[in-house]
Amino acid sequence: MSQQLVVTAIGTDRTGIVSRLARLVTDCNCNITDSRMAIFGGEFTFIMLLSGDPAAISRIEHLLPALGVELDLTTMTKRTGSHQPKAVAAHYVLEYSGPDRVGTLGAITGLLASRQVYIGSLQSQSKTGADGQSIMHTMMTLELPQGEPAAQIEADISSLLQQMNLTGTFHAQT
């Protein structure tokens, strides 16, 4: 019976980290079924969903901490089950940009949570504009629950974006 394990690794960015982690996964006879990697400042971040038989998963849990120490990474593992899809009426993309201010993401995700909208993915990045001001750009994939009218959610989001001096779009995912 296949089991699943979420693995995270964070540390100073340098060449070869992904290769070493992937080699450990292969050596333990596990499979990487999903993964994400990003660089935040000078820090490397990697998250993987692994699958394997119970012995393989146990072996990764046992060997990963030593590799983490060798590579100067903070690592963490958590066993998990398969993702159970929810009843979803529609898939949407919310994308917005504007001045980078404290609390923006919290306000927008708070509105989504109050409407039971599930965030499937989120990417947000701040950059310095030509005028020296910090500008944020965020993109989210959303799953609207059945019974929640997309037009009302769009109106609520548009209103909030306007209040926060942000520009954005909310459209069905194709």
Side-chain angles (χ1 to χ4, degrees), residues 25-40:
V25 170
T26 300
D27 291 348
C28 290
N29 200 33
C30 286
N31 185 42
I32 301 171
T33 59
D34 198 357
S35 65
R36 305 282 189 282
M37 189 205 93
I39 305 300
F40 294 105

Side-chain angles (χ1 to χ4, degrees), residues 127-135:
K127 292 186 177 180
T128 303
D131 61 0
Q133 298 296 317
S134 185
I135 303 296

Side-chain angles (χ1 to χ4, degrees), residues 57-59 137 168:
I57 295 295
S58 292
R59 188 163 182 225
H137 179 258

Side-chain angles (χ1 to χ4, degrees), residues 78-110:
K78 184 173 188 314
R79 290 186 187 224
T80 188
S82 297
H83 177 70
Q84 301 300 317
K86 298 168 182 52
V88 174
H91 296 267
Y92 278 77
V93 174
L94 170 59
E95 192 167 358
Y96 62 88
S97 298
D100 187 10
R101 294 190 189 103
V102 172
T104 300
L105 185 61
I108 292 171
T109 57

